[in-house]
Amino acid sequence: MAVLHETAPHSRRILSLWLPRFATERRGIEAQEDRPLALTRAERGRLVLTAVDAKATALGLEPGMALADARAMEPELAVADWSMEEDGTLLRDLARWCVRYTPLVSLDPSSSCLSGTIGGDAGLWLDVTGCAHLFGGEEAMIADLVNRLAGLGLTAHAALAGTPGTAWAISHLAAPAKGWCVVPDGREHAAIRDLPTVALRLPAADVEALERMGLRTAGHLMDLPRGPLTARFGVEPGRRIDQALGRIREPITPLAPPAPHRVRFGLPEPIADRQDLAHGVRRLLARMCTRLEQERAGFRRLRIDFFRADGTTRSLSLSTGRPVRDPDTLFRLIDEKLDHLDPGFGVDVMVLEGEVVETTVTHQRDLAGGMAGATGRDDEAVSTLLDRLTNRLGPTSVHRSLPVESHLPERAEARAPAHRPTHWKTARMPSVPRPIRLLPRPEPVEAIALLPDHPPAKFRWRGVDYRVARAAGPERLAPEWWRPEDSHTRDYFRVEDGEGRRFWLYREGLIERGQAASWMMHGLMA
Amino acid sequence: MNIKYRISPDTPAGPTDMGALRELVRRMERGDGTVPARGLVLGCPALDDALPEGGLALGRVHEVLGPARSDVRDAAAFGFTIALLALLMKARPQEGPVIWCPRSANLLGGTLYIRGLVGLGLDADRLILVETRDEAERVWALEEALSTKGVLAALAELDPVRADRRDNKTNRRLQLAAERSGVTGFLLRPRMTTASGAAARTTTLVESRWQVSAAPSPLGPHDARPVWSVLLERAKRARRLASEPRRIAWDAPHMSFFEVFDRPAAAAQDPLVPETRGDRRYGRVA
């Protein structure tokens, strides 16, 4: 038991992570440029630097300068727009990645991308209480975190302390060169007392006012009697001191993990009737679709599990070509499948789960209230139709044909999913007509033809004789040399028999003297 | 109830009135929502003149009868239908896709070759193929497509018409679905043959029925425009039906049908002259 309570039972261990150049370094990963980089935004009619990278800092540029001044100092400066949204999204992704250390990860609201202040930095708090031993101790864990971020190209300063306030102060203001620092439990006071007052996360105006009174370090403030301090500066400095020293608890707000798209419908009695099951499915869909409506998302694939009274499970799954969240449309697709569902002695519980959920693009309505592009609603109807056909006939049954650049007719097209647009208009087309029906594999034909280049005068195919009345060709198609299995040149002819049937056949290979030509039937012309 | 129907004296009575009244009654029978037929002009008087809308009625179901089922060598009915679809797609460039439900099992006659279809003028980017396992699924898929506003046309390759009345019911359902949504339907069937092998007349309920078979082309040997023997067997409210098939050619570059006649025999050329003698360009894209 003594081992378990080695640290005080209420002590927390908070890791503060500060990425001082987050906004520029996250771009640097893609940019790979040697020029110094600065991000700008428009402020009072001029462009102001909001974040600069290490190279720019070395040249004396800093956030808050006007771009014109910065350009004057460094004409080679690379400039990009600062996007708070993109930074925020990436920071949230990073926070989710940090869940590898602890489930409780919180965004630092003073991060540039969240508060809108200049600087381009970003911060996270990780509540790692009781997690460090999984990584071989606190030192090992924090080193692992900083090194992994360095591998991503992000400069990271991290500090681990008993309170969020102290960890924040150390990571922002006193990180040693190696990038991390661990403050042992109970040593918060000593760790921050020599840091400037900014370390207490006070508003800039307060920091300035304190400075004017000669209160430069956190230690000065901590030594002051609380009464006059509060009377002069309000409760904020006192509160921050107490938070940093752990006298009052400062909660961090962990990022909520995304809730799974899953709803459950439990039943007091098992049901087996098809209509009842359909009703249950409707209820599940109604609940889930209301949520999807708020999230502006729709199902691409969903599954419903029916837990039967006898302990077994039956499932239905459904895929759609585009995100769908209309309960009626989804129900129609599922309804057909319910016929094949065997409820056994009854179904206790139904669980609907969205396996693939995507955000939808809502059609912009034009001024008259109709869909932009006039056919938005029709497009949706067609999409629904394709989904119904796919769901009943099988996933590969509904398709389009895709042009493939190949010399061989049988390889010149491929199947594509029906929802994917094809580009026949820009495909290279042969100048000579092609058959409208192609035999799956060429069939041998006995033909009589004049050598070397004449079409057959007569031929016999599938046991029937044909006399050629009209013919055109040859069109020579060279084999694809990189495929050794078909190395023969083909000379194609379009021929018409006495009754007007039109065929597409070819002579295989080049004719050698004294050798019979081999003829193949390959398709039917229009 | 004493209601008297009167025709006001200044209404001229005549065949036009009767036609209009019939049309009105027809529409009332079907209830609301029926899209009145519009005609797709085929560009060939031999065909257009017989059709009441001055062309192929859109939003209706048409039947194209090919050769008998045993004869898979004759792709004429396919060619003619593809030409009709190409014309329709060109006339309605902004509208939706064409759904084609081919008979997958019929591999003896080959499979659709899209490059050939494009060669006939079809817009393959708007063509969606639906593979089915049997006739029932094809009819189901066709009906689904016909009831979807936003689809331009739907086609199914079906079996020959059976003698019983089941097909009539099916066709009536398809026709109603097409009328409500305005989607044009095509049924591509083999011609039904009697025991002796002669073509038998069928009596399904469709807007128009065409018999199409291969025809010797009187055009020059290098003229690639296809020629078919086309007989409009029946059409609702037809103006006049020809008793003999016409020879109709399809001019894909100009997207129009035209009627062809035999050339004088003297002008016929030796059919066995190669088209591009000595043309040995390699590496042509097929």
Side-chain angles (χ1 to χ4, degrees), chain A residues 183-203:
Chain A
V183 180
D185 202 21
R187 304 270 303 164
E188 282 81 15
H189 187 276
I192 62 169
R193 64 168 297 117
D194 293 331
L195 297 181
T197 48
V198 192
L200 291 172
R201 292 178 286 161
L202 296 173

Side-chain angles (χ1 to χ4, degrees), chain B residues 89-109:
Chain B
M89 284 169 130
K90 190 192 165 230
R92 301 267 182 283
Q94 295 303 320
E95 285 177 28
V98 167
I99 312 275
W100 185 308
C101 314
R103 180 201 302 282
S104 318
N106 185 16
L107 292 179
L108 274 182

Side-chain angles (χ1 to χ4, degrees), chain A residues 23 29 49-50 169 180 206 212 321 359 375 495:
Chain A
I29 297 169
L49 303 195
T50 52
W180 72 84
D206 283 358
R212 261 188 267 123
T359 40
T375 52
V495 302

Side-chain angles (χ1 to χ4, degrees), chain A residues 363 370-382, chain B residues 94-96 149-150:
Chain A
H363 292 284
M371 291 291 188
T375 52
R377 190 170 310 172
D378 286 353
D379 281 353
E380 227 169 279
V382 171
Chain B
Q94 295 303 320
E95 285 177 28
K149 276 200 180 75

Side-chain angles (χ1 to χ4, degrees), chain A residues 430-459:
Chain A
S431 53
V432 184
R434 285 286 174 262
I436 54 170
R437 300 190 73 83
L438 196 74
L439 298 179
R441 52 183 62 242
E443 296 175 16
V445 167
E446 296 161 37
I448 301 169
L450 278 171
L451 291 179
D453 265 350
H454 285 261
K458 272 178 169 180
F459 65 93

Side-chain angles (χ1 to χ4, degrees), chain A residues 71-154:
Chain A
R71 275 261 160 80
M73 288 168 69
E74 179 49 51
E76 284 289 285
L77 188 69
V79 176
D81 283 334
W82 182 46
S83 162
M84 271 174 75
E85 292 77 27
E86 282 176 25
D87 285 3
T89 313
L90 198 71
L91 184 61
R92 276 188 193 88
D93 287 347
L94 195 65
R96 269 180 220 116
W97 173 80
C98 284
V99 168
R100 71 198 306 279
Y101 297 103
T102 168
L104 303 174
V105 181
S106 151
L107 306 179
D108 178 359
S110 67
S111 302
S112 227
C113 53
L114 302 176
S115 62
T117 52
I118 59 173
D121 61 333
L124 295 176
W125 274 303
L126 285 71
D127 186 340
V128 294
T129 315
C131 298
H133 69 281
L134 298 171
F135 297 88
E138 291 183 339
E139 284 276 349
M141 179 173 80
I142 200 166
D144 181 64
L145 171 63
V146 171
N147 289 337
R148 279 177 192 272
L149 289 172
L152 291 173
L154 296 171

Side-chain angles (χ1 to χ4, degrees), chain A residues 400 407 466 470 473 476 502, chain B residues 73 125 220 227 275 280 286:
Chain A
R400 286 173 196 266
H407 297 185
Y466 299 87
R470 229 171 131 247
R476 172 160 294 183
R502 283 173 282 273
Chain B
R73 302 161 297 176
D125 291 329
V227 177
E275 179 186 62
R280 293 197 180 272

Side-chain angles (χ1 to χ4, degrees), chain A residues 347-511:
Chain A
V347 170
D348 274 329
V349 176
M350 299 182 195
V351 174
L352 181 148
E353 182 160 6
E355 294 185 314
V356 180
V357 175
E358 277 180 11
T359 40
T360 51
V361 184
T362 40
H363 292 284
Q364 190 175 355
R365 289 180 184 278
D366 59 22
L367 286 178
M371 291 291 188
T375 52
R377 190 170 310 172
D378 286 353
D379 281 353
E380 227 169 279
V382 171
S383 217
T384 311
L385 168 74
L386 297 182
D387 286 341
R388 294 199 69 184
L389 296 176
T390 311
N391 273 295
R392 164 126 178 216
L393 303 173
T396 57
S397 58
V398 182
H399 60 101
R400 286 173 196 266
S401 188
L402 195 70
V404 175
E405 296 242 334
S406 171
H407 297 185
L408 290 183
E410 60 267 37
R411 296 218 182 91
E413 37 200 69
R415 278 182 175 204
H419 287 279
R420 192 165 131 198
T422 56
H423 301 285
W424 279 97
K425 283 198 186 69
T426 53
R428 284 207 285 169
M429 294 300 289
S431 53
V432 184
R434 285 286 174 262
I436 54 170
R437 300 190 73 83
L438 196 74
L439 298 179
R441 52 183 62 242
E443 296 175 16
V445 167
E446 296 161 37
I448 301 169
L450 278 171
L451 291 179
D453 265 350
H454 285 261
K458 272 178 169 180
F459 65 93
R460 186 178 175 83
W461 176 48
R462 289 180 182 167
V464 181
D465 286 314
Y466 299 87
R467 192 186 55 77
V468 173
R470 229 171 131 247
E475 179 197 8
R476 172 160 294 183
L477 296 182
E480 295 179 334
W481 53 265
W482 56 92
R483 295 176 192 275
E485 69 271 16
D486 40 40
S487 53
H488 292 296
T489 308
R490 297 174 182 182
D491 287 327
Y492 276 95
F493 292 90
R494 314 190 302 272
V495 302
E496 179 179 310
D497 76 351
E499 289 173 55
R501 287 183 285 249
R502 283 173 282 273
F503 303 97
W504 202 49
L505 38 75
Y506 68 89
R507 190 185 57 224
E508 197 167 51
L510 300 170
I511 305 298

